């Protein structure tokens, strides 16, 4: 996220993402949509557990983190990994399911390092490793060599575009 975003802008961004997920036809009764900014104690506990297994060397090797970078870059992988732990959502899964269910993670190649780290450390926590489904990037409106990104509004067509913008 950009440093200058307000909580209201984050809320609007989240609502837009939810609209896009719904537009793709996901069955809402089978789709769990959550917001990291509305973190539960179970989510936070799992972030702490994952942080205890991710080393500085992991972060440096996987993400190019340097000693001069902010500590947020070291801590962020745990936040990305946390949702693939069923115990982050105890209201949906039994204790047995929390230890045995495997999370299916559809991800682009840019997300792969997070879940490779997850596969390295989750077995140490007694959690089933996630299963990765690698997807290709949808080319952007800027050309096939660039990916769509919500942080670059000119690279994508959004659901709420005006007719003028579409033209």
């Amino acid at each position: 996220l950009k440093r200058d975003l307000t909580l209201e802008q984050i809320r609007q961004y989240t609502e837009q993402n939810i609209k896009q997920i719904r537009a793709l036809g996901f069955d809402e009764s089978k789709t769990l949509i959550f917001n990291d900014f509305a973190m539960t104690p179970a989510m936070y506990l799992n972030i702490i557990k994952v942080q205890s297994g991710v080393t500085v060397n992991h972060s440096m090797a996987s993400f190019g983190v340097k000693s001069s970078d902010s500590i947020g870059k070291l801590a962020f992988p745990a936040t990305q990994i946390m949702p693939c732990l069923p115990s982050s959502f105890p209201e949906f899964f039994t204790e047995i399911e929390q230890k045995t269910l495997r999370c299916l993670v559809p991800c682009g190649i840019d997300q792969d390092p997070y879940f490779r780290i997850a596969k390295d450390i989750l077995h140490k926590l007694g959690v089933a490793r996630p299963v990765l489904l690698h997807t290709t990037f949808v080319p952007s409106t800027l050309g096939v060599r660039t990916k769509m990104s919500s942080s670059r509004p000119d690279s994508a067509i959004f659901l709420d575009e005006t007719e003028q913008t579409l033209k």
Side-chain angles (χ1 to χ4, degrees):
L1 289 174
K2 296 177 185 172
R3 291 181 184 179
D4 58 346
L5 287 179
T6 66
L7 287 176
E8 178 59 24
Q9 289 170 315
I10 292 168
R11 186 190 63 71
Q12 290 172 357
Y13 178 76
T14 301
E15 286 179 7
Q16 183 65 28
N17 282 345
I18 291 169
K19 287 178 189 176
Q20 293 167 356
I21 291 167
R22 286 183 179 136
L24 291 172
F26 280 82
D27 181 341
E28 289 189 48
S29 69
K30 297 179 182 178
T31 304
L32 174 62
I33 299 173
F34 67 95
N35 182 342
D36 285 346
F37 290 100
M39 192 175 297
T40 66
M43 293 169 141
Y44 183 73
L45 178 62
N46 280 334
I47 286 174
I48 299 301
K49 286 179 182 177
V50 172
Q51 284 178 344
S52 72
V54 178
T55 66
V56 173
N57 286 339
H58 266 129
S59 289
M60 291 177 83
S62 298
F63 307 106
V65 174
K66 301 180 295 286
S67 61
S68 60
D69 288 333
S70 78
I71 63 171
K73 287 186 178 181
L74 292 172
F76 187 68
T79 304
Q80 284 288 94
I81 293 168
M82 172 276 297
C84 71
L85 282 75
S87 59
S88 294
F89 309 98
E91 61 276 22
F92 295 100
F93 304 112
T94 67
E95 282 188 41
I96 292 173
E97 289 172 332
Q98 290 176 37
K99 292 185 189 302
T100 59
L101 282 178
R102 295 181 73 180
C103 179
L104 175 63
V105 181
C107 64
I109 197 69
D110 59 329
Q111 297 295 308
D112 182 70
Y114 295 103
F115 299 104
R116 287 196 182 274
I117 288 175
K119 286 183 168 197
D120 287 347
I121 65 168
L122 291 184
H123 70 283
K124 296 174 190 171
L125 300 175
V127 178
R129 294 175 177 173
V131 177
L132 304 182
L133 175 64
H134 288 100
T135 60
T136 59
F137 291 129
V138 176
S140 85
T141 57
L142 303 174
V144 296
R145 297 210 191 295
T146 59
K147 69 174 190 160
M148 274 197 228
S149 173
S150 59
S151 62
R152 292 213 41 206
D154 60 339
S155 72
I157 298 171
F158 296 93
L159 297 174
D160 60 350
E161 300 284 11
T162 65
E163 188 174 337
Q164 181 63 30
T165 302
L166 291 174
K167 288 179 182 177

